[in-house]
Amino acid sequence: MEQMVNVYLYGKRYRVPESLTIMEAMEYAGYQLVRGCGCRNGFCGACATIYRVAGDRELKACLACSTKVEDNMYVATLPFFPLVKQVYDVEKIKPTEQIMMQLYPEIYACVGCNACTKACTQGLNVMQYIAYAQRGEYEKCAEASFDCVMCGVCSSRCPAGISHPQVAMLARRLNGKYLAPHCGHLDDRIAEIAQGKYEALLEDLMGKPISEMQELYNQREIEK
């Protein structure tokens, strides 16, 4: 029989198989997840979760869909975190240091505590990409924040009230719009999609079992 562990969900103890993720353990315990879950594969950032293991003083952050349960784990899911999301037209703004100061001035109040980096569910150097944003180095900020899933855990721990994911999103948009080299073959591919060239291929993929699609993805040719 599979090894069982104790997990505390919302203060109540449950016995669950040790092979489950936190999200799977919640469903195993009888919870119906209608919010705080999305892709279930670590990409959407909807299942931001904090937990502490008995005997360990450290409070840890993770995504519930991709983190395995541990014995005597105390779990608390995070509700939607109200990040500051400024409204702007990317066609009208320019990649200057002033635009970041205008839209997200709170980044200049960073105290260098590194709580954002320690909390990041993706292991990103969040404080570093905020430093790039402060200096207007948007290419570096875009690269350093590329794997951000917008879960907001970093911002929930920030004493300066910085909305790190939104700052990173602005940097990536500025980089993509104004700084990155133009990608001609991407224009060609978009035109092919608009012409319906890949509709039959997509229909064929939609009819395949998940296991076969995963194998195709894992064996795909990656452009260098």
Side-chain angles (χ1 to χ4, degrees):
M1 292 188 61
E2 188 168 358
Q3 180 69 31
M4 306 293 281
V5 295
N6 293 319
V7 175
Y8 294 82
L9 306 173
Y10 305 107
K12 186 176 180 180
R13 183 174 68 88
Y14 296 92
R15 295 278 290 173
V16 303
E18 66 175 357
S19 62
L20 301 183
T21 64
I22 293 175
M23 184 175 287
E24 291 168 341
M26 294 176 72
E27 293 178 317
Y28 181 91
Y31 290 94
Q32 182 180 7
L33 302 179
V34 296
R35 60 190 304 175
C37 60
C39 70
R40 295 175 179 261
N41 279 289
F43 297 111
C44 73
C47 60
T49 299
I50 55 176
Y51 69 91
R52 177 179 282 127
V53 177
D56 185 351
R57 297 179 60 185
E58 183 181 359
L59 185 64
K60 300 178 181 179
C62 69
L63 298 180
C65 69
S66 52
T67 303
K68 291 289 184 68
V69 294
E70 299 179 42
D71 193 30
N72 290 321
M73 173 188 276
Y74 289 77
V75 175
T77 57
L78 292 178
F80 166 74
F81 192 78
L83 298 175
V84 175
K85 183 180 180 180
Q86 299 295 355
V87 177
Y88 52 84
D89 185 343
V90 75
E91 300 288 344
K92 297 179 180 178
I93 61 176
K94 299 297 180 182
T96 64
E97 187 174 337
Q98 287 71 30
I99 192 62
M100 193 63 75
M101 186 178 296
Q102 176 186 336
L103 293 173
Y104 294 105
E106 64 273 13
I107 68 172
Y108 300 97
C110 174
V111 298
C113 67
N114 212 32
C116 52
T117 299
K118 293 178 181 178
C120 180
T121 60
Q122 302 299 94
L124 303 181
N125 192 337
V126 182
M127 191 175 77
Q128 179 61 69
Y129 79 61
I130 290 298
Y132 289 143
Q134 290 172 335
R135 298 195 293 266
E137 298 181 43
Y138 299 128
E139 301 99 324
K140 292 182 179 179
C141 183
E143 177 68 23
S145 68
F146 185 79
D147 288 327
C148 174
V149 296
M150 310 289 287
C151 69
V153 172
C154 53
S155 298
S156 72
R157 304 296 299 277
C158 179
I162 298 172
S163 292
H164 310 75
Q166 296 298 338
V167 171
M169 179 64 76
L170 174 57
R172 292 197 297 274
R173 286 171 173 167
L174 290 170
N175 184 57
K177 175 68 176 176
Y178 298 106
L179 304 174
H182 183 73
C183 188
H185 72 275
L186 179 59
D187 294 336
D188 297 338
R189 183 58 56 86
I190 291 173
E192 291 173 349
I193 292 173
Q195 294 163 8
K197 181 177 179 179
Y198 301 101
E199 289 183 4
L201 176 61
L202 290 172
E203 288 292 332
D204 180 58
L205 284 173
M206 293 290 286
K208 294 183 181 297
I210 294 295
S211 58
E212 186 175 345
M213 292 180 69
Q214 290 175 333
E215 184 62 23
L216 285 171
Y217 179 82
N218 291 332
Q219 300 299 324
R220 73 195 187 283
E221 182 178 346
I222 300 177
E223 181 180 350
K224 296 182 180 179

